[in-house]
Amino acid sequence: MLPVVLRLDYADGTHADQIIPTESWHLTDHITVNFPAGPAVLKATLDPDHALPEPDRTDNSRTMP
């Protein structure tokens, strides 16, 4: 298993990535990831570069209200 990237897309057009180690998501059903404060978050995406082999990516991103 590989680590996964979590990407936050911000309202100002920038984004921030954070690598989540395999142990974090493999050993528990939830984790907390902290990002520095910044512009409003528009979207959060797991594995934005499609580095992991996954047939169904429909649940890998969430658009913020």
Side-chain angles (χ1 to χ4, degrees), residues 14-58:
T14 62
H15 70 266
D17 291 350
Q18 192 163 108
I19 297 173
I20 302 171
T22 304
E23 298 79 21
S24 297
W25 56 269
H26 185 64
L27 299 176
T28 184
D29 61 350
H30 70 279
I31 63 169
T32 300
V33 179
N34 295 310
F35 281 83
V41 175
L42 297 178
K43 185 174 165 183
T45 306
L46 284 171
D47 190 27
D49 300 320
H50 301 175
L52 300 176
E54 183 176 1
D56 181 10
R57 297 183 179 280
T58 59

